[in-house]
Amino acid sequence: MKKFKQIIAIAATLTAVTLLAACGKSSSSTSSSKTVKIGVLQLVSQSALDDARKGFEQELAKEGYKSGKNLKLDYVNAQGDQSNLKTMSQQLQKDKNDLNLAIATPAAQALQKQDNKTPMLFTAVTDPKSAGLVTNLKHPDTNATGVTDKVNTKAQIELLHKMFPKAKKIGLLYNAAEENSVVQIKTAKRVIKSLGLTPVEKTVATTNDVQQTAGALAKQADAIYIPTDNVCAAAMTTIGKVTEAAKVPVVTADATMIKKAGVATRGISYKQLGRQTAKMAIKIIKGKSVKQLAVENPAHTQLVTDAKRMRLFKVKASTLK
């Protein structure tokens, strides 16, 4: 009888362990099988914004969120068209995503105007307050937060002056319709004047304007500064050809622009910016609210140079230290 009771007890224990294991397996399976839906609205195809998107996707994959498995990315690109931004924002609102990502200021503004309920992250936005996306950076009070691409414009102008001390007229090329660019240009003009130099401004509305406008600016300026401007970024190859032919050096705010036109800058990696934004996305996926996540500035900056243009404009590496 005693032996029989022992057998019953062992059987009961084994059954309980089996049931617990099954429950644990079921819970884990349910968690991993849930598909997260993220909408992505990108302003235009250009290297910096493309890198931000790639970095975002890479960081999500690193953390176990992979497209086609437990992640559905609803990606749309407005190709710089305002009417596309509106239509695509409406589309993302209807898709009822868990989270939306806006890449660049106009994309963020359009998406928030259409949908102020769905949690939204922005990246590649220089001044979210001026853009009307939030009124409090530390404690976001709308449906939006994210990572800015704000760089130290003052330091970049000072770097330009250090590399080209004989340059007296500093050209500024940008799109006046981009809030990002306007904010940076205001700072740049103030610093240029404080150094006893003269700012020379020219604006472009589309990439079609760039070649002629850059050529005209190169005739009036001794060196050119370009902010993180989306129109200019999309036409940097053209700017590079025009300025090299005119033998006028360029310093850019965006490190990725250096490859196509610039001499050097202390800027950011947009791929790292995208990764930083993805880390915020994961916090929202796991239950954090937008209002719990302060707007972040880039975590890292880096000195980026172009060897060919350094030689062309006779800039020594020691100058940059």
Coordinates of all heavy atoms in Angstrom, one line a residue, residues 18 39 92 126 314:
T18 N 5.0 18.5 -16.3 CA 4.7 18.5 -17.7 C 3.7 19.6 -18.0 O 3.9 20.3 -19.0 CB 4.1 17.2 -18.1 OG1 5.0 16.1 -17.8 CG2 3.8 17.1 -19.6
G39 N 4.8 51.5 -39.1 CA 4.7 52.3 -40.4 C 5.9 53.2 -40.5 O 6.4 53.8 -39.5
L92 N -1.0 55.4 -43.7 CA -0.5 54.8 -42.4 C -1.5 54.9 -41.3 O -1.5 54.1 -40.4 CB 0.8 55.6 -42.1 CG 2.0 55.3 -43.0 CD1 3.3 56.1 -42.5 CD2 2.3 53.8 -43.1
T126 N 16.0 68.2 -37.0 CA 17.0 69.0 -36.3 C 16.4 69.7 -35.1 O 16.9 69.7 -34.0 CB 17.6 70.1 -37.2 OG1 18.2 69.4 -38.3 CG2 18.6 70.9 -36.5
K314 N 44.5 71.4 -50.3 CA 45.8 71.5 -49.5 C 45.5 71.7 -48.0 O 46.1 72.6 -47.3 CB 46.6 72.7 -50.0 CG 47.0 72.5 -51.5 CD 47.9 73.7 -52.0 CE 48.2 73.4 -53.5 NZ 49.0 74.6 -54.0

